[in-house]
């Protein structure tokens, strides 16, 4: 399954589970409780609750591994995904301010450049919504893509901090 990092997908985005663009990431704001992240009531993390909510809205979002962001499969209906993001925003693990969005977008551009430098020349920059997609499902499953993703993870420092609660 391809990974996606960014704000439009809020897949957002931590090591190897990032769907460029993980990242199932839709930064919609929220209150302090929503921004807390981590373990919430019932022992479920915000990431897990978000994935469950998105699935309940009909999207393919597998449970994330511990310490990783939930990833939405590529090729899903964007209108349906946008509606689901709105309904599930209270669980969104990537609630960020406008200044954080700019920083994340900058990091995604650096990450994309790193991916190209490390064997994935077809990797595009993030789109205008701040979503970074892999070139294709096939490329995302290649060893060269996985190796580059591992080498470039350190370029996504803000994603890691946000995922770890700050």
């Amino acid at each position: 399954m391809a990974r996606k990092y960014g704000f439009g997908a809020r897949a957002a985005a931590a090591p190897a589970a990032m769907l460029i663009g993980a990242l199932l990431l839709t930064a919609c704001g929220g209150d302090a409780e929503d921004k807390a992240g981590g373990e919430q009531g019932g022992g479920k993390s915000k990431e897990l609750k978000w994935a469950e909510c998105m699935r309940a809205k009909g999207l393919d979002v597998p449970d994330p591994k511990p310490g990783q962001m939930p990833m939405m499969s590529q090729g899903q209906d964007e209108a349906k995904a946008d509606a689901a993001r709105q309904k599930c925003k209270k669980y969104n693990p990537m609630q960020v301010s406008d200044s954080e969005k700019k920083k994340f977008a900058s990091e995604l551009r650096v990450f994309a450049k790193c991916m190209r430098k490390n064997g994935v020349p077809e990797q595009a920059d993030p789109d205008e919504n701040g979503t970074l997609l892999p070139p294709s499902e096939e490329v995302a499953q290649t060893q060269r893509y996985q190796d580059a993703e591992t080498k470039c993870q350190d370029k996504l420092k803000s994603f890691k901090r946000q995922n770890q609660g700050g």
Side-chain angles (χ1 to χ4, degrees), residues 1-6 10-25 67-72 107-108 111-112 115 132-134 140 145 149-150 152-157 159-160 163:
M1 170 182 307
R3 290 172 300 280
K4 184 177 186 179
Y5 304 110
R10 269 317 177 205
M18 298 161 54
L19 180 138
I20 297 185
L23 241 203
L24 311 181
L25 319 179
Q68 294 183 341
M69 296 300 299
M71 300 297 151
M72 188 165 59
E107 287 182 15
L108 285 172
F111 177 81
M115 293 290 286
L132 181 64
L133 293 170
Y145 182 89
E149 186 178 48
T150 298
C152 297
Q153 287 301 314
D154 66 328
K155 308 300 182 205
L156 299 171
K157 296 174 184 123
F159 283 95
K160 292 176 187 175
N163 188 35

Side-chain angles (χ1 to χ4, degrees), residues 79-133:
K80 187 177 184 179
D82 287 343
R85 282 187 207 92
Q86 283 300 313
K87 300 239 181 213
C88 299
K89 70 181 179 181
K90 73 177 181 177
Y91 302 119
N92 187 328
M94 293 298 293
Q95 301 288 331
V96 295
S97 68
D98 286 342
S99 64
E100 289 172 313
K101 283 183 195 178
K102 288 178 185 175
K103 185 174 186 174
F104 288 168
S106 175
E107 287 182 15
L108 285 172
R109 285 189 296 278
V110 170
F111 177 81
K113 183 177 181 180
C114 179
M115 293 290 286
R116 290 189 294 269
K117 180 180 174 185
N118 284 284
V120 187
E122 61 272 51
Q123 178 63 64
D125 281 333
D127 67 17
E128 66 280 353
N129 296 316
T131 300
L132 181 64
L133 293 170

